[in-house]
Amino acid sequence: MWDDAFPSFLIGLREGLEAGLIVSILVATLVRAGARSRLAQVWTGVLAAIALALSFGAVLTFTAASLSATAQEAFGGTLSVIAVAFVTAMVFWMRRSAHSLSGEIKEKVTGALGMGAGVLVATSFLAVGREGLETALFLWTTAQAAGESAGPLTGAAIGLVLAAALCWGLYRRVLRINLTKFFTATGAVLIVIAAGVLGYGLRDLQEGGVLPGQTSYAFDLSGSIDAGAWYSTLVQGVFNLTPTMTWLQVLGYGGYLAVVMTLFVRGVRDATPKRVATEAAGVAEAVGATGVTGAPESSPSRRRPAWVVPVAVVTVPAVIAGAAVAFGSPKPAAAETVAVSEKDCGQGFSAPKPGRQTFQMHNTGDKTSEVYLVDPATNAVYGEVEGLAPGTTRALVATVAGGTYAWRCVPSSGAAVTSEAVRVSGGGSSRAVVPVSEQDLSGPLGQYTSYVDEGLTTLVGQTRTLAADIRGGHLGKARGDWLTAHLTYASLGAAYGTFEDFDQKINGRADGLPGGVHDKDFAGFHRVEYGLWHGESAASLTAPAQQLATDVAGLRKAFPHQDFDPSDLPLRAHEILENTLQFELTGDTDEGSGTNLATADANLAGTRELLAVLKPLLTTRAPRLLPTVDADIARLQALLDTARHGDAWTPVTQLDATARARVNGATGQLLEDLSPVPDLLEIRKSA
């Protein structure tokens, strides 16, 4: 949280001090002119600027929330680039204008005094409003980059409070600050931070499909830098530098930093000492001038209550922002109700407007149904409700864009029913999933079944060799053969659900058994492992090893006749490595061999094999997924390879904290990127 707070703290301090100085000069000028009664108009303009900034932030937040995931990436990336442009302009403007800031504002205020109240309100509003809008935009983009809002908002709040305190001190002449040096130093730091925001924005635009090169990495240091370490988190939070960056990010970051920082430093060097002193003294003198009186205060006639204008300037931007959010976001309360049944699907359905929509699906029939919003031409699914019971209503949320839509109702028994199609006009894009049927998965299932069958055939021979080693008293050789056999079994992870009770016999753990490792029911690979690495005799291990070989042979014989559920394949693409993270990378299954990382390596090989058979289905449904996953797998493989030393492996418990965190982080990232696979390849009846 706190690493994400620093950029926002700096922007809050910088922008807050700029706005505060402007307000202080406005107030000081009015006081010097003897027009204290007009101060309320200044504060009204300031209040209006704050209300506008808050409303702008609300519009950004709720507008982004109503977009699809891809559109959110493009939207966030675009605003990040705009925010960088604003911050860059602000840095150069303040460096150039600090020496004349006081004079310009005095001139504007003097002119406004001779005109109506609205002109003075507008003067203060425009003077402060720009800072407020820049702050809101920069805060929104930094919150997007951080993935959370608590840190950026906390940092900005602290910065604004500190800025207000500094301005008060300057105004009351209890504090003296070299403002030129302050704005120069913070300007340089902000340029570095803005370079990181630009890099993050370019990455968002790549992920949103606006810019190319999403998988063209300039470097990948995840194998040597722990992304979860405190120093990595700090660098990423402050500078938006990550261990893995694309060429476009690197070129954008480096190019911006080189050009902008060079121009900034050159401009600073051009300032003479005399000008620097004049700037600092001029601003400080203007802010601190509160004791001079001039013309007597006027007391203009009031044609309306004093509270009307302040309330109006706060209410108007809030109302406009509320209208923008209301018209730009879905309206669940006014959601279209669609009746479905086993005879008539989609009653009450009319062409919806583009955007994120909520449909209230009401089952008027007497059978439980699955309901899908589909493209009738391709059967692509935009949204679904499963198990809609008779007489019940449930919401279905989907993003609608230009195209053709229809409802498809699949009752628990009987034929599917499809509604009449409607045409939606408009732009944008919506993410649809082409449904997968059991027939679609039959090819990959056949390939993977053959892979498992070959693996089990190999495993039968390996466990017989292991049993023979132990029976002959060759325990040293048995340790090597145990690992070979166990890794073969670990590479068949997607079939564990089909192995039924055999898996518990072959690879069961002592956890939960009353006697633990000494329980009579403790059997299989881990029972033999415990004995081999805890000094048990060959005689005591002969029976467990022979039983393991017998159970493996039994599994090999039974497997061709077992029911391999096709839906297990997409699920296991994620679950194999979930088990790896939970059991192997924690050392939970280690019974003395210290080979958890070898097992993790075998699990990764099994995952790679599974993805190979699923590749044709995934490529057509999520073309960007597999390149990302392949990069994740290569990263994790490289980390595991560093723990292998010939036939020996470093025990997971002996990894240093950094290396262990890297392996865990790489596995977690791979799991996150694999998480869409079960949904993409879920067997649906909508086809």
Side-chain angles (χ1 to χ4, degrees), residues 438-569:
E438 289 193 20
Q439 184 177 358
D440 293 327
L441 282 171
S442 62
L445 181 62
Q447 296 176 53
Y448 194 77
T449 300
S450 297
Y451 164 76
V452 173
D453 193 63
E454 292 176 6
L456 288 176
T457 300
T458 301
L459 185 62
V460 168
Q462 291 172 340
T463 52
R464 286 175 177 170
T465 299
L466 172 61
D469 290 341
I470 293 176
R471 189 168 54 250
H474 308 298
L475 298 187
K477 184 174 182 298
R479 293 187 184 94
D481 289 337
W482 175 90
L483 180 58
T484 299
H486 187 245
L487 296 185
T488 298
Y489 187 79
S491 68
L492 308 178
Y496 287 175
T498 306
F499 292 168
E500 297 177 347
D501 294 338
F502 282 103
D503 182 50
Q504 183 60 33
K505 296 176 182 177
I506 293 172
N507 204 41
R509 301 189 300 274
D511 302 347
L513 296 176
V517 294
H518 303 293
D519 196 277
K520 61 181 180 61
D521 293 326
F522 183 36
F525 276 112
H526 292 300
R527 169 65 184 91
V528 176
E529 176 190 9
Y530 180 84
L532 286 174
W533 274 272
H534 283 84
E536 287 192 27
S537 65
S540 66
L541 285 174
T542 297
Q546 184 57 52
Q547 185 60 50
L548 172 62
T550 300
D551 289 335
V552 168
L555 173 59
R556 168 67 187 84
K557 183 178 180 180
F559 178 70
H561 309 289
Q562 290 178 323
D563 184 20
F564 200 146
D565 188 349
S567 63
D568 273 358
L569 287 182

Side-chain angles (χ1 to χ4, degrees), residues 300-641:
S301 60
R302 295 183 178 179
R303 300 179 180 178
R304 64 181 69 87
W307 54 267
V308 171
V309 175
V311 170
V313 298
V314 173
T315 304
V316 169
V319 169
I320 294 174
V325 171
F327 286 107
S329 303
K331 312 168 189 59
E336 181 177 341
T337 298
V338 180
V340 300
S341 71
E342 62 274 14
K343 295 181 180 179
D344 194 359
C345 186
Q347 294 180 34
F349 179 51
S350 58
K353 295 181 180 180
R356 195 165 178 81
Q357 302 291 339
T358 300
F359 303 94
Q360 295 295 337
M361 312 307 300
H362 179 61
N363 190 344
T364 59
D366 55 11
K367 294 181 180 178
T368 298
S369 294
E370 295 182 8
V371 186
Y372 303 90
L373 180 62
V374 302
D375 179 344
T378 63
N379 291 322
V381 177
Y382 294 96
E384 63 185 291
V385 170
E386 297 181 349
L388 185 61
T392 61
T393 301
R394 284 164 58 188
L396 184 151
V397 180
T399 299
V400 176
T404 305
Y405 296 83
W407 292 104
R408 182 161 296 156
C409 305
V410 185
S412 54
S413 60
V417 181
T418 305
S419 72
E420 291 186 8
V422 299
R423 180 74 186 175
V424 175
S425 300
S429 61
S430 55
R431 183 173 176 269
V433 177
V434 178
V436 173
S437 64
E438 289 193 20
Q439 184 177 358
D440 293 327
L441 282 171
S442 62
L445 181 62
Q447 296 176 53
Y448 194 77
T449 300
S450 297
Y451 164 76
V452 173
D453 193 63
E454 292 176 6
L456 288 176
T457 300
T458 301
L459 185 62
V460 168
Q462 291 172 340
T463 52
R464 286 175 177 170
T465 299
L466 172 61
D469 290 341
I470 293 176
R471 189 168 54 250
H474 308 298
L475 298 187
K477 184 174 182 298
R479 293 187 184 94
D481 289 337
W482 175 90
L483 180 58
T484 299
H486 187 245
L487 296 185
T488 298
Y489 187 79
S491 68
L492 308 178
Y496 287 175
T498 306
F499 292 168
E500 297 177 347
D501 294 338
F502 282 103
D503 182 50
Q504 183 60 33
K505 296 176 182 177
I506 293 172
N507 204 41
R509 301 189 300 274
D511 302 347
L513 296 176
V517 294
H518 303 293
D519 196 277
K520 61 181 180 61
D521 293 326
F522 183 36
F525 276 112
H526 292 300
R527 169 65 184 91
V528 176
E529 176 190 9
Y530 180 84
L532 286 174
W533 274 272
H534 283 84
E536 287 192 27
S537 65
S540 66
L541 285 174
T542 297
Q546 184 57 52
Q547 185 60 50
L548 172 62
T550 300
D551 289 335
V552 168
L555 173 59
R556 168 67 187 84
K557 183 178 180 180
F559 178 70
H561 309 289
Q562 290 178 323
D563 184 20
F564 200 146
D565 188 349
S567 63
D568 273 358
L569 287 182
L571 290 173
R572 288 291 178 177
H574 188 265
E575 290 178 353
I576 294 174
L577 292 177
E578 274 189 340
N579 290 336
T580 303
L581 191 62
Q582 182 179 359
F583 299 115
E584 305 304 335
L585 298 186
T586 59
D588 186 64
T589 58
D590 183 23
E591 296 295 352
S593 66
T595 57
N596 287 112
L597 293 178
T599 305
D601 185 74
N603 291 159
L604 186 62
T607 300
R608 190 184 290 112
E609 182 67 30
L610 179 56
L611 291 173
V613 303
L614 293 175
K615 183 176 181 178
L617 295 177
L618 289 171
T619 301
T620 57
R621 288 165 175 81
R624 299 178 184 176
L625 176 64
L626 285 178
T628 301
V629 168
D630 288 343
D632 291 341
I633 289 176
R635 188 179 306 127
L636 178 56
Q637 186 67 68
L639 291 171
L640 292 174
D641 287 344

Side-chain angles (χ1 to χ4, degrees), residues 60 144 183-184 206 245 257 273 283 412 414 494 505 544 580 651 654 659:
L60 290 180
Q144 290 293 109
F183 284 121
T184 299
Q206 288 179 311
M245 296 181 71
L257 196 59
V283 174
S412 54
K505 296 176 182 177
T580 303
Q654 292 182 18

